[in-house]
């Protein structure tokens, strides 16, 4: 079955540590996205990528980094510069340039600070 | 600026009908999506509107009025499994066609 796989489901970060969240899709989608979800707020875009080897900052990119070396994979690193990383992180993908097509989401990674 | 407003929480009775409203302010409207999200899970796509009018899909319907910056999601014959958050998202041409998300409406279904 096609879909988006995020791992791990739960992640704990120590002070000063970088952690990487995995996102893999087998939907053959060109575009991939990372969102952060906090209680009482809408999804906020961290980074997105329309094609391999290219990505753009979203609204809250500070303290995060990404790479897009393969079409299927879009890992997100939460760096020590992100002072408030506790949140639910969602990865999504979609067909590029087809505006009526929805984004498909993974099951999310819940990140907490130790 | 961009803004999307939805009620924070609504309560309805099993078997009834509920309407969840979404109002938006954006200068580059290019389509509106509704998603359902159960607690701790991924959002799943429900509907898409880009032209004015009603789109019906089984028990769920979605309406759009671009002149009023207004949409609603109508859920009929409510079931307990419909208890979830409902997210409204607008695609904005002026944000590189990215989605701007509302905070979501938590719908509680009572027997």
């Amino acid at each position: 079955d096609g879909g988006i796989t995020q791992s791990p489901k739960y992640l704990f970060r120590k002070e000063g540590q970088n952690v990487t969240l995995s996102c893999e899709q087998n939907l053959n989608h060109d575009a991939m996205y990372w969102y952060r979800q906090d209680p009482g707020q809408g999804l906020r875009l961290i980074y997105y990528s329309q094609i391999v080897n290219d990505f753009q900052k979203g609204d809250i990119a500070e303290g995060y980094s990404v790479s897009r070396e393969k079409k299927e994979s879009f890992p997100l690193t939460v760096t020590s510069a992100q002072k408030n990383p506790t949140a639910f992180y969602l990865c999504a993908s979609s067909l590029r340039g087809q505006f009526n097509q929805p984004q498909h989401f993974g099951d999310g990674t819940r990140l907490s600070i130790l | 600026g961009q803004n999307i407003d939805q009620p924070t929480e609504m309560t309805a009775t099993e078997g009834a009908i509920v309407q969840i409203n979404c109002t938006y302010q954006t200068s580059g409207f290019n389509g509106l999506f509704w998603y359902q999200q159960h607690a701790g899970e991924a959002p799943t796509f429900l509907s898409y509107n880009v032209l004015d009018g009603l789109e019906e899909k089984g028990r769920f319907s979605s309406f759009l009025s671009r002149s009023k910056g207004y949409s609603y999601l109508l859920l009929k014959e409510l079931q307990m499994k419909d208890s979830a958050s409902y997210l409204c998202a607008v695609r904005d041409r002026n944000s590189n066609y990215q989605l701007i998300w509302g905070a979501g409406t938590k719908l509680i279904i009572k027997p």
Side-chain angles (χ1 to χ4, degrees), chain A residues 21-38:
Chain A
L21 285 60
S22 171
C23 178
E24 304 277 333
Q25 55 99 1
N26 61 4
L27 297 168
N28 201 31
H29 286 168
D30 288 302
M32 296 187 74
Y33 314 82
W34 274 106
Y35 290 98
R36 170 178 172 144
Q37 188 173 35
D38 294 279

Side-chain angles (χ1 to χ4, degrees), chain B residues 18-20 34 46-47 60-62 71-75 86:
Chain B
V18 71
Q19 178 176 309
I20 302 174
W34 283 97
L46 291 177
S47 69
F60 293 4
S61 303
S62 58
S71 173
Y72 67 72
L73 182 69
L74 192 71
L75 291 73
Y86 292 86

Side-chain angles (χ1 to χ4, degrees), chain A residues 25 28-34 47-57 66-75 92-98, chain B residues 96 98:
Chain A
Q25 55 99 1
N28 201 31
H29 286 168
D30 288 302
M32 296 187 74
Y33 314 82
W34 274 106
Y47 270 97
Y48 63 101
S49 168
Q50 302 279 30
I51 54 172
V52 175
N53 292 322
D54 188 43
F55 50 82
Q56 286 79 40
K57 292 182 179 180
V66 292
S67 62
R68 186 84 188 277
E69 297 176 2
K70 298 187 302 182
K71 186 176 184 178
E72 301 80 18
S73 179
F74 192 41
S93 71
S94 69
L95 293 169
R96 184 166 66 101
Q98 298 190 33
Chain B
N96 207 15
Q98 296 310 307

